Every structure is written in C-alpha cells, then in structure tokens.
Amino acid sequence: MATAKIVLNASRDIPFNKLVLSQANVRKVKAGVSIEELAEDIARRTLLHSLAVRPVLDAEGAEGAETGVYEVPVGGRRFRALELLVKQKRMTKTQPVPCVVRTGGFAEEDSLAENLQREPLHPLDQFRAFQTLREAGLGEEEIAARFFVGAGVVKQRLKLATVAAPLLDAYADDKMTLEQLMAFTVTDDQARQEQVWEALSKAYSREPYQIRRLLTEGAVRASDKRALFVGLEAYEAAGGVVMRDLFLHDDGGWLQDPALLDRLVAEMLEAEAATVRAEGWKWVEVALAFPYGHSRGLRRLSGEPVPLSEAEQATYDALHAEYERLEGNDPADAGELDAVAQRFVEIDVALRALEDRPAVYETAEVARAGVFVSVDAEGQLQIDRGYVRPEDEAPVEPVAVPGNDGQVATPSAAGAGGAVAAQPAIITGNAQVSAPAPVSVVGPEAPKEEEGLRPLPDRLLTELSVHRTLALRDAVAGDPDIAFLAALHALCLRSFYQRGGGSCLDLELKSAGFGVQPPDLAASASAKAIDARQRSWGGQLPQAAADLWATLSAFDGDSRAALFAHCVSFGVNAVHEPWNRNPQRLAHADALAQAVGLDMAAAGWAPTVDAYLGRVPKARILEAVREARGPEAAQLIDHLRKPDMAKEAERLLAGSGWLPEPLRPPTDASMEGDAGAEGDDTEVLPAFLTGDGEAPVPTEAVAA
C-alpha cells in the first residue's frame, strides 16, 4: 500500500485589516514578554513567525462561502503586537502579513498544539548565543536593549558561557544544576573549575556553597581590613586578581593573591611610618594590629589641638547655626523630613571633621615618646601618637628633704605630668601637722641647721605616726563619703597615672593580663567601649597626680560613682587559668555577671569559625546548630568535612543568639555548684576551650 503524502497548508500574505483575533486561542493568562516589548522586537527584526489563520465563513449567505476575513487562533500575541504598531502609525493597516491558512480540524486544537509542541530554548544555548553576539562586536548594553533585559543579566549569561567546556557539557546533560554552574563562575581559572568538579563528583553532596568555598579557598575577602586598607584599585594595579560572584552578594569579591596583598599593606604602613618618624618621635612601631592592652603602663602625652583658622571657624559657626535652625523647624511633609535628616547627617560629618584636630606636643616630650601605626577593624589607618615608656621618662632631679640624718632623699615623680610629688606632712614635737620645711638642693651652699632645733628621732616619729594612722582609720570609718573618695583617689592613681602618684591608702588594683588573646580582641564592642571610656575620663582628670584629689573632690556623686565603677572594672578577672584553678573566684564571676545582667550575645560575641566553631569537634558544632536551629538544620550539614561544617554552621548560627555553655548567663544552681567545688581538680571549663596545646601564659598582675 502506498504511503499517503503529507500536504502542507498554503501560505499567503494577507492584509492586516483582513485579520481578526479568534476567541479560540487557548492562551488566556499573560506570561512572558509583554506586548509592548514584542512590538519593539517586530519593529526591529520584522515578523519572524507566520500567523496561523482560518477563513471566516459567511453564516447568512451560501453555505461555506468565505468572507475574505481570517481569524487568528495561533499567534494572538503577535497579532496584538502588530495591532499596537498600527495604532502607533509605525505600520499601515493594509500591510501584508505572512500567514499559514488552515481549513480542517478545530481552531482550539491548533492553538493548543502550537503552544504544547513548542520546546523552550535551553539556557546554555542562550548563554552561547549572547557570547556569539558579544564576539561579533555588540556591547553588553546593546545586547540587553535588543532582548529587553538588564545589562546585569547579560553579564551573568556571558559569565556562565565562560565556564570550562566539560562543565558546560555536564550542565547540558543534566548532570549539573544551573545553581551549581553559577557557583563555578566565581573564578576564571578553568583548570581549577575542573579540579573542583572532579573532586565533588565523587562526594555525597555538591551544594553550590561548597563549590564557592573550594574555589575561593586561600583567597582574602574584599571586606577584610587589609583589602579595605589597600583598596581594590591599588591591588589590581599591582597585578592582583579579584574573583567576583555575579549571582550572589559577595562583599566585593575575593582577592586571589594574599602574599601580594600583605606586601602592599606592609609597604603602605611603612610609608606612613616614615612620615610619622619625620615628626621627631623617639620610636615608631608598625603592625597590622597590636594586641589589646599594648599601651597599658605607658604614659600618654596630652597634646594641644591645632586651633581652627579663621575660615574654618567661620565654617564651623555656620554649620552650628544651620543645625540649630533645622532643629527648630518642623518639616511639612515626608519628603522634606528625609531631606532634613540627610542634611543633619552631612552637617554632623562636617562638624566631626573640623573637631577632629591634630594635636601639637612639646618638642622635649616628642623626643622621648613614640607612636603606634596600625590598621583598625574598618581598614582605616590608625596612628596613636604620644606614648612614653617608663625607661624614657625624664630623670628626677635630686632634692633635699629635711630628715634625721640630713641626707638627700629623692621623692617619686607624680605621674603623668612629670611633676615632683607633693612632700608629705611632717609631725612636729607638739603632735600638730605642719607644712614641710623648705626644700633645697643639696650642695656646697646648702643652709646649715639652726642650733637647738634638731629633727625628731625616727623611732619617735614612727610611734607618733602609728597613733595618727589608727585615729585616721577610725575617722575615715565614720565618714563613708570620704572613705569612698579616698578609695577612688587610690584607684585613679593606678589607672590613669604611670607612676601611681602618692596615696596613704594601701590599696592595690591588679588587672589580669591576656597572654592568650582571641582574634581581633581590640576590635570587639567591649574593648572599644572600655577604651572610649578610658579616654573620656582621662580628658577630665588633671595631668599632674598631685592635683587629682582636688579634682575628685569637686566631682558630683554620680561622676564619682561612674569613675569608681570604671576603675574597679579593670580588676575583674574571670579568665579560665588552667594553672590557677580557683572555683570561688569563678563562682564570684558568675554572681557578678548575674548581678549586672551580662548577655554575651548582646555584648557582640558570635559563634564564628575563628572564635569557636573551628576549634571544637564536629559533635559540638552539630550540637550548637541543633540547639539554635533544630535537628533538621543539623542534618543538612552532618555529612560535611569539619572545615566546611564549621563555615556553614557559622552562617546558620548568625543572628541566633546561641552561646556555648561557658558564655551563657549563669543560673543559681550552677553558681551553687561552683561555689561548693573547692578542692575539686576537675576542669572548670571544657577542655576544648583551653587551647590547642600551647604552653599556658601566666596572668600578669599589672596596674590597671
């Protein structure tokens, strides 16, 4: 039997005004490219697909007679786009339109078949087509305009087309998802792409985040303070390469050459240090970051800020006046309110720039002081000028103090000002306190003692002073305000003055040194708050320790209490010390934490890879995620290697407020258990927090 031959439908050009939209079109829901965009595409490229039409028959005349009008059941969107072009007078209504004329079957069947049989373009074909157009000379913006997409979309598609060919083949064969392919675009190193895919092809999980982490392993994030300090432009100008992720927020990308970055940081810091050395300082220390507390025990010079010039003062006054004027006006609408708020910010920035004046120091002080040059947590240059080491202090001139043997006595210096401390009062034979005798330099012309007025014997002076000390203790005990002031005076001498000054109160304040420090301790919220408070109080206290008592006496009660709390805080030691187990001390630390309502999550601590997750076993990582996010979240990462597990756990725990047991708020039961553990040799904290085998560093008792 002969096979029937297929006869295709005839095609012809039909004037547009002879076409009408058929109600048999099955597409009712709008989807895809808009009619306006399709009209623009037809105007640029003309019609690429013919319309499928059916003749409209005359229902009143002879049966089956054609009317010369054709309905359009297939190509309704194209018909509407042509109709829009006619309305815009960009096409005549008699323009011939290519059409395929159908006569048999149902119009609804034609419309349904046309939409169901259509095979969408594979994304990879689109990527490669964009790449072909790019190679033909079209720019990204031009390609975007021709296909009604954003330039960013074109960049993404072009980036996908540059992935290694074996990976594109894997994607075409459905062996790789689009999300996985997108992750490989982080790097342009196709050999590295293939290595990672080969390694992951044998793994249980091939999540996109794992691909990104493997490809960026060893790279430095652009948000790292080293990268912020150098700047991406300078890094790239020096030959550095930056990896970017066009599909996810990447904080600026990853710098692929850490060695180059570190060299640039060192060179920039050394250049800044050379400028500072030219100012005449005795020493300049340079480091990316100094350990927290590195300036403790050094005297800080108090320089005078450079005065404002006439022009700067005029600008300062004008900004202040504008600020006050804006404060007194009520914005009329939301738009004006936003503009005023923005102006407030601008004025505040300008005022801060004028108020942040460089300081001028005495030449003699500069010659014995030094400077620390480093980079702060935000990647900004940090120059801390004016620190004097104890061994660089000016020598104290010997002075003569009247005494039993007439020998020279050398009093201690009075702290930050370098002034000689006030001489102690002398108890005379009538048991009254008198001012010290005139001090004179011992030398060949020193005046001789008057005959008949010899100093009291040391033994008698000691006995008399014992009586006075006992009476003074009793008097101080009866005056709590003065007792508080005396304690505050002693604490301030040790907290703000290098050599401590002089206090008759035998009161010591020791501050635990942090021989082992967590990463970026100086950048923590607590460290910044303490340093800011220390600077604030330091600016309110006198330069000379001899003037401290009068200054504190003039403070109101609230100021004294706040300053007292600040000084006492330096003595808090809740550090876990394996060589110094003291359950009572740690139990008291818990009680103190409970009393002040300490919340470590609110204080800024977070479970990061460096701070916790990278230093504990996998079981504890999973326990943390399970407690914070539930068992389902823990199951998502339980198959990962520990480095990947720690990184993913950091992401999952972000913002959860989860804390490990040693940092959680203490409970009454736990405090009672600690207090009753005297003599117990068990570890107070888990062993995994005691370090990685480093030799313990003793806590250094230093003056706060």
Side-chain angles (χ1 to χ4, degrees), residues 263-284:
R263 178 172 64 80
L264 294 175
V265 170
E267 290 174 354
M268 291 179 62
L269 283 175
E270 187 54 40
E272 296 292 345
T275 303
V276 174
R277 288 190 187 97
E279 298 173 7
W281 300 98
K282 181 174 183 179
W283 52 266
V284 177

Side-chain angles (χ1 to χ4, degrees), residues 328-345:
N329 295 337
D330 293 329
D333 52 36
E336 185 179 350
L337 179 62
D338 292 340
V340 170
Q342 178 62 29
R343 183 54 184 162
F344 272 132
V345 173

Side-chain angles (χ1 to χ4, degrees), residues 3 40 70-71 86 146 214 220 241 250 252 259 403 443 521 553 594 599 613 618 643 649 653 656 664 671:
T3 303
E40 292 296 330
Y70 296 83
E71 64 176 353
V86 171
R146 291 193 177 194
L214 288 173
V220 178
V241 178
D250 59 6
L521 181 63
S553 299
Q594 191 175 47
D599 183 345
L613 298 170
K618 293 174 67 174
L653 293 175
S656 67
R664 294 175 185 175
M671 290 165 56

Side-chain angles (χ1 to χ4, degrees), residues 41-191:
D41 191 76
I42 293 174
R44 178 182 291 114
R45 275 180 280 269
T46 73
L47 197 63
L48 300 179
H49 300 282
S50 301
L51 303 180
V53 301
R54 287 174 172 270
V56 177
L57 303 181
D58 187 0
E60 297 180 357
E63 184 177 354
E66 297 184 5
T67 61
V69 177
Y70 296 83
E71 64 176 353
V72 183
V74 177
R77 297 179 66 254
R78 278 165 279 165
F79 174 84
R80 291 191 182 91
L82 294 172
E83 186 178 45
L84 178 60
L85 291 173
V86 171
K87 289 181 179 179
Q88 295 174 345
K89 300 187 182 304
R90 301 169 69 185
M91 188 181 84
T92 63
K93 61 182 179 180
T94 57
Q95 171 70 42
V97 178
C99 298
V100 175
V101 182
R102 285 270 296 160
T103 55
F106 299 97
E108 290 82 359
E109 180 183 357
D110 292 347
S111 178
L112 180 61
E114 195 266 348
N115 286 282
L116 289 180
Q117 297 300 328
R118 180 185 302 167
E119 183 70 23
L121 183 68
H122 193 282
L124 182 57
D125 292 328
Q126 183 191 109
F127 309 157
R128 287 170 170 165
F130 277 4
Q131 187 179 38
T132 300
L133 294 176
R134 184 71 179 85
E135 292 171 352
L138 296 182
E140 295 168 356
E141 297 287 347
E142 188 175 0
I143 296 174
R146 291 193 177 194
F147 293 95
F148 308 102
V149 295
V153 174
V154 175
K155 290 181 180 179
Q156 291 176 338
R157 301 299 185 262
L158 291 173
K159 190 71 172 179
L160 287 166
T162 61
V163 174
L167 276 65
L168 292 178
D169 294 340
Y171 173 58
D173 296 337
D174 294 329
K175 296 179 181 178
M176 179 189 298
T177 66
L178 179 58
E179 289 74 18
Q180 290 171 329
L181 184 66
M182 290 160 56
F184 278 104
T185 64
V186 168
T187 179
D188 294 329
D189 188 344
Q190 295 188 348

Side-chain angles (χ1 to χ4, degrees), residues 249-519:
H249 179 64
D250 59 6
D251 291 329
W254 296 265
L255 283 67
Q256 285 189 275
D257 195 339
L260 172 62
L261 178 62
D262 289 337
R263 178 172 64 80
L264 294 175
V265 170
E267 290 174 354
M268 291 179 62
L269 283 175
E270 187 54 40
E272 296 292 345
T275 303
V276 174
R277 288 190 187 97
E279 298 173 7
W281 300 98
K282 181 174 183 179
W283 52 266
V284 177
E285 289 194 10
V286 182
L288 178 65
F290 292 99
Y292 178 69
H294 66 282
S295 60
R296 187 65 54 82
L298 306 183
R299 177 167 65 90
R300 182 75 182 270
L301 298 183
S302 179
E304 293 295 330
V306 176
L308 295 172
S309 65
E310 293 185 4
E312 290 173 331
Q313 187 63 52
T315 302
Y316 188 86
D317 294 340
L319 290 172
H320 258 296
E322 183 182 359
Y323 195 97
E324 293 175 357
R325 178 176 56 80
L326 291 175
E327 277 188 320
N329 295 337
D330 293 329
D333 52 36
E336 185 179 350
L337 179 62
D338 292 340
V340 170
Q342 178 62 29
R343 183 54 184 162
F344 272 132
V345 173
E346 295 171 354
I347 294 176
D348 185 64
V349 171
L351 288 175
R352 286 179 182 273
L354 290 171
E355 292 169 353
D356 187 15
R357 312 292 295 171
V360 178
Y361 305 93
E362 294 182 6
T363 304
E365 292 280 43
V366 170
R368 68 170 62 97
V371 183
F372 295 102
V373 178
S374 61
V375 179
D376 66 16
E378 285 73 36
Q380 299 297 315
L381 178 67
Q382 183 169 329
I383 301 178
D384 295 324
R385 293 178 171 85
Y387 288 91
V388 182
R389 293 166 174 161
E391 61 270 22
D392 294 331
E393 290 287 1
V396 178
E397 295 294 334
V399 295
V401 178
N404 184 45
D405 53 5
Q407 297 299 315
V408 175
T410 305
S412 61
V420 177
Q423 301 302 319
I426 303 300
I427 302 176
T428 61
N430 59 3
Q432 298 295 320
V433 179
S434 66
V439 178
S440 61
V441 178
V442 175
E445 299 181 0
K448 299 180 180 179
E449 288 184 321
E450 296 181 16
E451 293 295 334
L453 186 59
R454 296 180 181 278
L456 295 175
D458 282 342
R459 174 60 183 248
L460 179 57
L461 283 174
T462 301
E463 290 180 358
L464 293 175
S465 66
V466 168
H467 282 291
R468 184 170 182 265
T469 298
L470 202 59
L472 186 56
R473 288 179 181 179
D474 184 50
V476 170
D479 194 332
D481 290 338
I482 295 299
F484 178 82
L485 181 59
L488 176 59
H489 176 258
L491 294 178
C492 286
L493 287 174
R494 287 154 179 78
S495 299
F496 292 93
Y497 298 90
Q498 183 178 348
R499 295 182 181 177
S503 171
C504 68
L505 209 62
D506 193 6
L507 182 66
E508 285 293 333
L509 180 71
K510 295 182 179 180
S511 181
F514 302 134
V516 177
Q517 293 194 9

